[in-house]
Amino acid sequence: MKQVTDFILVEKRDYGRSVLLRLRAETTLPDIVPGQFVQVRVDGSPNTYLRRPISIHDVDFGNNEITLLVQQVGEGTRHLAAAKEGDIINVVLPLGNGFSFPEKGERCLLVGGGIGIAPLYFFAKVLGKKGIQPVLLLGGKTETDLIRLADYQQLGDAFVTTEDGSLGEKGFVTMHSVWTERQFDKIYVCGPKPMMKAVAKLAAETDAWCEVSLENLMACGLGACLCCVEDTVDGHVCVCKEGPVFNTRRLKW
Amino acid sequence: MKQVTDFILVEKRDYGRSVLLRLRAETTLPDIVPGQFVQVRVDGSPNTYLRRPISIHDVDFGNNEITLLVQQVGEGTRHLAAAKEGDIINVVLPLGNGFSFPEKGERCLLVGGGIGIAPLYFFAKVLGKKGIQPVLLLGGKTETDLIRLADYQQLGDAFVTTEDGSLGEKGFVTMHSVWTERQFDKIYVCGPKPMMKAVAKLAAETDAWCEVSLENLMACGLGACLCCVEDTVDGHVCVCKEGPVFNTRRLKW
Amino acid sequence: MVNTTIDLGRGLVLRNPVMTASGTFGYGEEYTDFVDLAQLGGIIVKGTTLHPREGNPYPRMAETPSGMLNCVGLQNKGVQYFIDTIYPRIKDFDTNVLLNLSGSTLEDYVKGAEMVNELEKLPAIELNVSCPNVKQGGMAFGVTTTGISQVVSEVRKVYHKHLMVKLSPNVTNIAEIALAAEAAGADSVSLINTLMGMAIDAEKRKPKLSVITGGLSGACVKPVALRMVWQVAKAVKIPVVGLGGISNATDAVEFMLAGASAIEIGTANFIDPAVSAKVAVGITDYCKRFGFQSVIELIGALEC
Amino acid sequence: MVNTTIDLGRGLVLRNPVMTASGTFGYGEEYTDFVDLAQLGGIIVKGTTLHPREGNPYPRMAETPSGMLNCVGLQNKGVQYFIDTIYPRIKDFDTNVLLNLSGSTLEDYVKGAEMVNELEKLPAIELNVSCPNVKQGGMAFGVTTTGISQVVSEVRKVYHKHLMVKLSPNVTNIAEIALAAEAAGADSVSLINTLMGMAIDAEKRKPKLSVITGGLSGACVKPVALRMVWQVAKAVKIPVVGLGGISNATDAVEFMLAGASAIEIGTANFIDPAVSAKVAVGITDYCKRFGFQSVIELIGALEC
Ligand SMILES: Cc1cc2nc3c(=O)[nH]c(=O)nc-3n(C[C@H](O)[C@H](O)[C@H](O)COP(=O)(O)OP(=O)(O)OC[C@H]3O[C@@H](n4cnc5c(N)ncnc54)[C@H](O)[C@@H]3O)c2cc1C
Ligand SMILES: Cc1cc2nc3c(=O)[nH]c(=O)nc-3n(C[C@H](O)[C@H](O)[C@H](O)COP(=O)(O)OP(=O)(O)OC[C@H]3O[C@@H](n4cnc5c(N)ncnc54)[C@H](O)[C@@H]3O)c2cc1C
Ligand SMILES: Cc1cc2nc3c(=O)[nH]c(=O)nc-3n(C[C@H](O)[C@H](O)[C@H](O)COP(=O)(O)O)c2cc1C
Ligand SMILES: Cc1cc2nc3c(=O)[nH]c(=O)nc-3n(C[C@H](O)[C@H](O)[C@H](O)COP(=O)(O)O)c2cc1C
Ligand code: FES
Ligand code: FES
């Protein structure tokens, strides 16, 4: 069941352009699955009228905590990043559908680009708990884009590309050697659209099943306004409600 | 010369519904006379589009500091009151005309009601420096409205009324015994309009000369938009530019 | 106790003056986690056209100062799908369910209205002659007195329940249009639909919306909406339903003081999905605070 | 070096596309502490009528979400006073000084224009046929094609310098009105004037403005203004001057991309009295960043 909840910012970690926000609710969290997102109200930001959709980066059900990873791209995310520990942050959650779980034994690759790595953390963690060790392929422009890399490395084999070669292999995620060295049954991707399209193409070439998490512009986040549509084989569907995770076969890419 | 200046909030004092904000500029202050006001930009307040006019409560030219006394009445003043020491506050100053100075030997009464006491502090201080000791009559609903009373008392004989009798004489400023016990040549008033009108009437009855400081709604604060007009014997005049201080004989009260 | 009932006429009785605006509340189902629909006077479902529509391409929205633009373009599965699939799901909601009927041709409006006339649990349609986001969105009807007369009187012939006509604010004289709707048989008018606007991405030198222009809604339009409600309420005798930027109970009260008998909440649902029920409570609180026995006393109570 | 010169025709050449909007910049004098007027393309002085006007009673303004309403009501001392007292004070400003000429009757407009025709340092008038704040504020002329044709063609007969016509946004079809102004002899059109709006104090149950309705301006109106500028620029051949909610250089560039040859800054002057000069600099910076040699290249450069 969805809810609007006032969270308290209990921890903020600074990663340069991005911040990690750990939020605690006073009430019990609803069920949340990896790949779902929240809509955050940005207080005190005169030019931010609507809520901002942010992926759920991690959940701690025991402590009623969710964690968000927010990259500063405009006024709304800048204000979020300026929040102080102890501040109240109002959140609508959980929204959308998560990633579909692989069968036991299926070889999974999780590909994240830029801030798109955010939802993969919770996903990899839950996969691990289910006894599935994913391979992680994380890309960034430069070294500092790869936030929490050590933590991701705890969750599976983690490979890295950077466009400037400052960390891991130089280039885009699609150019990484892991693609030639290993085979995957299921590929999960979150990142900039061009990257997701390139990975989807690679996946199709290797006959792998592929899910991507889209980031269309949203207003309601509830499937009510029809603003966030993506063109699919079933026509225009709402990313907020029928996504954000889509099997690439459904998309008209 | 008027200027737009970024001030740093160097001290904030909490007086319940009101706060005192001491602001320091990095550059030299312009000339400022008692009765003038500033226009403050309220950052981070989504429903505050325009600047807010606030009287200059005190000036320390040596340290490039101005002090404001702000009463929380709506979202703008609430946000101002929530500013933290170290915050930048953007101010347009100095605006309007000040009180006219009395001649030496003239007996002056400064009457303040509620937050209207704010500009009288700087005025009384400057009068003192010029060798004129004003009498102060300060009114409030209740004891806690009389902010900085001890400081005001340093500047001249200070009398107090409160509507609930919690401090000084009970009732309105116009009912204070000082009116029967003393005579004044010049009376200066700032406070709620009904109070100013009542004092103006009393002044007229005793043939005293009377100046009031008006608080009309403002947009530009510069005499450009003609929003803040008061009806005078010369027609509609801008309170921000030709006031905020007016001789009551000019007003169509 | 404050009496909150509002009778808009011809069988449309609201438990309280608060409805949700078409296109902003889905089919109500999207909001049941946040709002007990029984706390609302009514919900107005997404704009529905005779034939299914895919709507406009993405991107369909752009944020603006204190508001947003949208160019959804009436994406919907058509009246028949509504009747067969959606209506059965939502007809038993404990509130009034209104259909927002949009169209491009006179025949479409008439046909659509005829098809839903017999739906037992649908007490009213809101005739949308004012969608600015599709070439044939009915706005052509909504901006002239002859256009509105024609569509309202034709629909009136076939539709026997409450006929609410939703007006476009993109006109020179809104009162004139409202009078034409009234004369043609409307039971009530609702206003405003969105103001036509545009947003540009200066970095890309491209429009932010796929079809260049879109409809402006949200807090920014409230002053215009309030003025138009006031003008229309002075002009017509039928009830006026006010909307445009209502974000809280104070806003809602302002519209009622200006002459609205009921109000709709649109874009504000996106910011607080529970806002509609809060506004209903807030209106009652306002009445209590000022000693009004019935919300009806608020209607047009502005002292000018 | 970016060439920022804009020639609006018939002798009105701007150093850069930035002007200040009538009623928001006084007579320029109020802003000289903040802005070097030589950094602006022009300033348009307060709306002036043939005869002096006291304007509307106080209160004349109300803040709204991302904007404000005003009902100043054309307070001014009349054209003769302008000529005798104000013009001599401001004529030597190192920028274009334009008079915003308002009126209520056709004769007033014509008389006023005739009187200022010979003022050597006044290269243009902006004919305000769109003031929503006074009963006879010319808006009656501004909202019909016949009205605007009449007033523009009559003024054209007596006024031989640049005639800019300021359009009201409170119309169904702004392009039609602009075309009528063009056909009647306007050298340029400027838009938008304020949108008619209203604000209510729910606690007092009274309008916030003395005359109930007022004109909405500020950031909130930008989407509507931009759309209208785009529509008009597509329709007419004369230059279009865009305004409505411009608060920074990005906003200004958006209006130029939509088709404006120059822009005006209004309400934003109240928030930052130095904003106009900053916008001028910012437009140049934008051109540099994207390699435009002249600001003219921005005009209508939107890729749709
Ligand atoms: C389902 C979903 C999950 C997301 N998860 C995360 C996350 O975990 N962490 C994170 O940092 N961000 C995430 N985003 C993106 C985030 O919502 C946007 O960055 C944010 O809304 C931008 O707001 P702003 O006010 O800072 O920027 P704005 O001022 O609104 O925009 C700045 C620039 O970013 C562009 N932009 C804004 N929103 C988007 C978007 N959704 N897609 C592409 N471009 C956009 C604008 O067009 C503009 O160019 C997610 C988006 C979606 C839809
Ligand atoms: C020349 C001048 C000097 C001033 N000096 C001071 C000062 O030293 N300290 C101080 O605290 N305040 C002062 N004020 C008043 C102050 O400007 C307002 O209280 C403030 O603008 C309110 O902003 P807000 O956003 O908090 O309230 P809003 O939300 O804008 O308004 C809240 C309520 O207060 C009313 N209100 C707002 N502004 C005024 C006003 N100017 N006059 C009367 N009612 C108003 C509104 O109508 C509304 O009912 C001064 C005003 C002027 C014009
Ligand atoms: C995303 C969106 C979709 C809309 N769709 C419709 C619609 O289908 N039919 C309709 O009559 N109005 C539609 N509207 C207009 C609203 O119902 C309402 O008239 C308008 O948004 C003004 O109210 P608000 O400011 O409270 O949102 C839509 C508005 C939005 C924001
Ligand atoms: C206080 C005020 C006074 C105005 N007076 C005039 C006027 O006298 N003549 C005129 O043509 N426009 C007048 N306007 C309208 C502005 O010139 C401008 O068209 C409008 O405010 C939209 O631009 P903005 O959003 O940048 O302010 C006035 C606007 C304001 C806010
Ligand atoms: S954001 Fe409203 S439907 Fe997806
Ligand atoms: S506030 Fe603009 S003239 Fe006084």
Side-chain angles (χ1 to χ4, degrees):
Chain A
M1 185 146 151
K2 301 184 192 81
Q3 51 182 234
V4 195
T5 304
D6 273 337
F7 282 82
I8 301 168
L9 176 56
V10 288
E11 188 199 2
K12 179 167 120 177
R13 270 189 251 163
D14 208 319
Y15 293 104
R17 212 182 147 198
S18 301
V19 293
L20 178 148
L21 305 174
R22 189 155 56 83
L23 307 173
R24 185 179 298 156
E26 309 240 300
T27 50
T28 311
L29 289 183
D31 284 342
I32 301 173
V33 296
Q36 287 190 303
F37 67 101
V38 303
Q39 282 259 72
V40 184
R41 198 181 68 204
V42 187
D43 297 334
S45 175
N47 295 315
T48 308
Y49 184 63
L50 298 166
R51 287 176 181 263
R52 292 295 186 260
I54 302 288
S55 305
I56 295 169
H57 176 59
D58 199 4
V59 184
D60 176 346
F61 288 102
N63 290 311
N64 295 322
E65 288 180 2
I66 60 167
T67 304
L68 310 177
L69 212 53
V70 178
Q71 185 176 49
Q72 301 178 53
V73 301
E75 193 173 316
T77 47
R78 261 201 306 280
H79 269 85
L80 274 182
K84 295 190 177 66
E85 288 172 13
D87 283 359
I88 299 293
I89 298 189
N90 184 278
V91 174
V92 178
L93 86 167
L95 301 172
N97 301 306
F99 297 107
S100 41
F101 281 107
E103 305 293 312
K104 221 165 188 141
E106 283 186 310
R107 293 160 303 173
C108 301
L109 175 67
L110 277 48
V111 188
I115 197 67
I117 64 170
L120 302 183
Y121 187 81
F122 184 41
F123 188 34
K125 205 164 128 180
V126 172
L127 284 178
K129 282 200 189 127
K130 299 205 181 228
I132 300 170
Q133 263 244 338
V135 174
L136 293 150
L137 173 57
L138 309 174
K141 285 217 170 61
T142 183
E143 191 176 357
T144 47
D145 287 353
L146 292 147
I147 310 166
R148 299 196 75 181
L149 184 55
D151 298 319
Y152 278 88
Q153 282 165 338
Q154 307 285 311
L155 304 172
D157 288 353
F159 301 98
V160 167
T161 62
T162 50
E163 289 175 36
D164 64 0
S166 52
L167 197 72
E169 295 186 14
K170 183 172 172 156
F172 297 111
V173 283
T174 42
M175 294 150 69
H176 195 276
S177 53
V178 73
W179 291 103
T180 48
E181 288 160 11
R182 300 214 196 173
Q183 293 256 306
F184 301 100
D185 302 304
K186 294 203 160 157
I187 298 172
Y188 302 86
V189 201
C190 185
K193 213 161 201 173
M195 180 208 111
M196 292 199 286
K197 286 193 178 175
V199 174
K201 212 173 141 227
L202 254 182
E205 284 164 18
T206 62
D207 274 334
W209 176 106
C210 182
E211 262 183 8
V212 294
S213 179
L214 302 183
E215 289 203 356
N216 288 8
L217 294 171
M218 294 182 178
C220 72
L222 301 169
C225 74
L226 311 187
C227 284
C228 64
V229 290
E230 184 71 23
D231 214 3
T232 71
V233 291
D234 313 311
H236 284 136
V237 305
C238 294
V239 168
C240 67
K241 196 180 173 186
E242 305 204 26
V245 176
F246 288 93
N247 191 299
T248 49
R249 280 171 310 192
R250 259 193 99 184
L251 301 176
K252 285 209 178 155
W253 274 8
Chain B
M1 188 149 148
K2 299 183 193 83
Q3 53 183 234
V4 195
T5 305
D6 274 336
F7 282 83
I8 302 168
L9 177 56
V10 288
E11 187 199 3
K12 179 165 119 177
R13 269 189 253 163
D14 207 320
Y15 293 104
R17 213 183 146 195
S18 301
V19 293
L20 178 147
L21 305 175
R22 190 155 57 83
L23 307 174
R24 185 179 299 157
E26 309 239 302
T27 50
T28 310
L29 289 184
D31 284 343
I32 300 173
V33 296
Q36 285 189 305
F37 67 101
V38 303
Q39 281 261 69
V40 184
R41 198 181 67 204
V42 187
D43 296 335
S45 175
N47 295 315
T48 308
Y49 184 65
L50 298 165
R51 287 176 182 265
R52 293 294 186 260
I54 302 288
S55 305
I56 295 169
H57 176 59
D58 199 4
V59 184
D60 176 348
F61 288 102
N63 290 310
N64 295 322
E65 288 179 1
I66 61 167
T67 304
L68 309 178
L69 211 53
V70 178
Q71 184 176 50
Q72 300 177 53
V73 301
E75 193 173 316
T77 47
R78 261 201 306 279
H79 269 84
L80 273 183
K84 295 190 178 64
E85 288 172 12
D87 283 359
I88 299 293
I89 299 188
N90 184 278
V91 174
V92 179
L93 83 169
L95 301 172
N97 300 305
F99 297 106
S100 42
F101 282 107
E103 305 293 313
K104 219 157 191 150
E106 282 187 310
R107 295 159 302 175
C108 299
L109 175 68
L110 277 48
V111 188
I115 197 68
I117 64 170
L120 302 183
Y121 187 81
F122 183 42
F123 187 36
K125 205 164 127 180
V126 172
L127 284 179
K129 281 196 191 129
K130 302 206 179 225
I132 300 170
Q133 263 245 338
V135 174
L136 291 150
L137 173 57
L138 308 174
K141 284 218 170 62
T142 182
E143 192 175 357
T144 49
D145 286 353
L146 291 148
I147 311 167
R148 298 195 76 180
L149 185 56
D151 297 320
Y152 278 88
Q153 283 165 337
Q154 307 286 309
L155 304 172
D157 288 349
F159 300 97
V160 168
T161 61
T162 49
E163 289 176 34
D164 65 0
S166 52
L167 196 74
E169 295 186 14
K170 181 170 170 157
F172 298 110
V173 283
T174 41
M175 294 150 69
H176 196 276
S177 52
V178 73
W179 291 102
T180 47
E181 289 160 11
R182 301 213 196 175
Q183 291 256 309
F184 302 100
D185 303 303
K186 291 203 162 159
I187 298 172
Y188 301 87
V189 200
C190 186
K193 215 163 201 174
M195 178 208 114
M196 292 199 286
K197 287 194 178 174
V199 175
K201 210 173 144 228
L202 253 183
E205 284 165 17
T206 61
D207 274 334
W209 175 107
C210 182
E211 262 183 10
V212 293
S213 179
L214 301 183
E215 290 203 356
N216 289 8
L217 293 171
M218 293 183 178
C220 73
L222 301 168
C225 74
L226 311 188
C227 284
C228 64
V229 291
E230 184 72 23
D231 214 4
T232 72
V233 292
D234 313 311
H236 285 137
V237 306
C238 294
V239 168
C240 69
K241 196 178 173 186
E242 303 205 28
V245 176
F246 287 93
N247 190 300
T248 48
R249 279 170 313 193
R250 256 193 100 187
L251 301 176
K252 284 209 179 156
W253 276 7
Chain C
M1 269 295 293
V2 177
N3 181 352
T4 61
T5 308
I6 293 286
D7 186 344
L8 291 178
R10 208 183 290 254
L12 182 60
V13 180
L14 312 181
R15 179 181 289 127
N16 65 51
V18 180
M19 296 188 282
T20 54
S22 178
T24 67
F25 208 68
Y27 296 100
E29 299 162 309
E30 295 82 353
Y31 285 85
T32 47
D33 282 357
F34 306 101
V35 180
D36 174 3
L37 301 182
Q39 289 187 273
L40 302 179
I43 63 170
I44 306 182
V45 305
K46 176 71 202 151
T48 305
T49 50
L50 183 61
H51 302 295
R53 288 183 52 93
E54 266 297 307
N56 290 320
Y58 179 85
R60 292 180 171 183
M61 81 102 180
E63 200 177 39
T64 65
S66 299
M68 64 176 280
L69 288 163
N70 89 81
C71 63
V72 170
L74 292 176
Q75 174 176 338
N76 78 98
K77 298 194 170 160
V79 173
Q80 194 59 54
Y81 183 88
F82 174 78
I83 294 171
D84 296 342
T85 309
I86 300 168
Y87 174 73
R89 273 189 344 237
I90 65 175
K91 72 182 174 49
D92 293 324
F93 282 155
D94 185 12
T95 192
N96 288 295
V97 175
L98 281 74
L99 179 71
N100 179 273
L101 184 65
S102 300
S104 42
T105 66
L106 196 57
E107 297 70 46
D108 284 5
Y109 279 111
V110 173
K111 192 86 192 296
E114 223 169 354
M115 286 166 72
V116 298
N117 192 31
E118 301 300 327
L119 295 182
E120 196 197 342
K121 299 268 182 87
L122 193 90
I125 55 176
E126 182 183 48
L127 203 67
N128 176 14
V129 288
S130 47
C131 180
N133 298 330
V134 295
K135 277 217 181 64
Q136 302 296 335
M139 201 165 104
F141 289 109
V143 297
T144 64
T145 49
T146 47
I148 203 146
S149 292
Q150 198 184 18
V151 65
V152 173
S153 55
E154 291 301 316
V155 169
R156 180 75 290 175
K157 284 182 196 155
V158 303
Y159 190 70
H160 306 303
K161 299 194 198 167
H162 187 100
L163 177 58
M164 184 182 294
V165 178
K166 187 164 180 180
L167 306 181
S168 168
N170 302 293
V171 296
T172 308
N173 187 337
I174 187 94
E176 198 177 271
I177 307 277
L179 281 167
E182 177 178 44
D187 295 309
S188 64
V189 286
S190 57
L191 66 155
I192 61 172
N193 208 317
T194 53
L195 276 164
M196 202 176 150
M198 179 172 172
I200 289 176
D201 185 328
E203 294 298 302
K204 301 192 183 127
R205 280 184 291 286
K206 291 216 166 114
K208 288 194 179 174
L209 299 176
S210 61
V211 293
I212 306 175
T213 60
L216 185 65
S217 65
C220 58
V221 307
K222 200 188 84 173
V224 175
L226 204 54
R227 180 264 296 182
M228 289 188 165
V229 164
W230 180 73
Q231 289 179 320
V232 167
K234 280 195 307 176
V236 300
K237 290 189 193 68
I238 51 176
V240 175
V241 177
L243 73 153
I246 298 178
S247 310
N248 52 47
T250 308
D251 292 343
V253 167
E254 288 168 26
F255 276 80
M256 296 193 71
L257 296 174
S261 297
I263 60 101
E264 297 177 22
I265 296 182
T267 307
N269 292 305
F270 306 159
I271 294 155
D272 178 2
V275 70
S276 50
K278 289 181 194 164
V279 169
V281 172
I283 294 174
T284 303
D285 288 347
Y286 179 94
C287 289
K288 280 187 199 147
R289 195 150 58 82
F290 287 99
F292 293 110
Q293 311 270 302
S294 162
V295 290
I296 294 174
E297 296 170 47
L298 299 180
I299 304 168
L302 189 72
E303 296 164 19
C304 290
Chain D
M1 268 296 291
V2 177
N3 180 350
T4 61
T5 308
I6 293 285
D7 186 344
L8 291 179
R10 207 184 288 253
L12 182 59
V13 180
L14 312 182
R15 178 182 289 128
N16 65 50
V18 180
M19 296 189 281
T20 53
S22 176
T24 67
F25 208 69
Y27 295 99
E29 300 163 309
E30 294 81 352
Y31 284 86
T32 48
D33 282 357
F34 306 102
V35 180
D36 173 5
L37 300 182
Q39 290 188 272
L40 302 180
I43 63 170
I44 307 182
V45 306
K46 177 68 202 153
T48 305
T49 49
L50 182 62
H51 303 294
R53 288 181 51 90
E54 266 297 307
N56 290 320
Y58 179 85
R60 290 178 172 185
M61 80 101 178
E63 200 178 37
T64 66
S66 297
M68 64 176 280
L69 289 163
N70 88 80
C71 64
V72 170
L74 293 176
Q75 174 177 337
N76 79 96
K77 296 193 171 163
V79 173
Q80 194 59 54
Y81 183 88
F82 173 79
I83 295 171
D84 296 341
T85 310
I86 301 170
Y87 174 73
R89 273 187 346 232
I90 66 174
K91 72 182 173 48
D92 293 322
F93 282 156
D94 184 12
T95 192
N96 287 296
V97 174
L98 281 75
L99 178 72
N100 179 273
L101 183 65
S102 302
S104 43
T105 68
L106 196 57
E107 295 70 47
D108 284 4
Y109 280 112
V110 173
K111 192 87 192 295
E114 222 169 356
M115 286 167 71
V116 298
N117 193 31
E118 301 301 326
L119 295 182
E120 197 196 340
K121 300 267 181 88
L122 194 89
I125 55 175
E126 182 182 50
L127 202 66
N128 176 14
V129 288
S130 46
C131 181
N133 297 332
V134 294
K135 276 217 181 66
Q136 301 295 335
M139 198 164 107
F141 288 108
V143 297
T144 64
T145 49
T146 47
I148 203 144
S149 294
Q150 196 185 20
V151 66
V152 174
S153 55
E154 291 301 317
V155 169
R156 179 75 292 174
K157 285 183 197 154
V158 302
Y159 190 71
H160 306 303
K161 300 195 198 165
H162 187 99
L163 177 58
M164 185 182 294
V165 178
K166 185 163 183 181
L167 306 181
S168 168
N170 302 294
V171 297
T172 308
N173 188 336
I174 188 94
E176 197 178 272
I177 307 277
L179 281 166
E182 177 178 45
D187 295 310
S188 64
V189 286
S190 57
L191 65 153
I192 59 172
N193 208 316
T194 52
L195 276 164
M196 200 178 153
M198 177 172 173
I200 290 175
D201 185 328
E203 294 298 303
K204 301 191 183 127
R205 280 185 290 286
K206 291 214 168 116
K208 287 193 179 175
L209 299 176
S210 63
V211 293
I212 307 175
T213 61
L216 185 65
S217 66
C220 58
V221 307
K222 200 189 83 174
V224 174
L226 204 53
R227 181 264 296 184
M228 289 189 165
V229 164
W230 180 73
Q231 290 178 320
V232 167
K234 281 195 306 176
V236 300
K237 291 190 191 65
I238 51 176
V240 175
V241 177
L243 72 152
I246 298 178
S247 311
N248 51 49
T250 308
D251 291 343
V253 167
E254 289 168 25
F255 275 81
M256 295 194 71
L257 296 173
S261 296
I263 59 100
E264 297 178 21
I265 296 183
T267 307
N269 292 305
F270 305 159
I271 295 156
D272 179 3
V275 71
S276 51
K278 290 181 193 165
V279 169
V281 172
I283 294 174
T284 304
D285 288 345
Y286 179 94
C287 289
K288 282 187 198 148
R289 195 149 60 80
F290 286 98
F292 293 109
Q293 311 272 302
S294 161
V295 291
I296 293 174
E297 296 170 47
L298 298 181
I299 304 168
L302 190 72
E303 297 164 19
C304 291

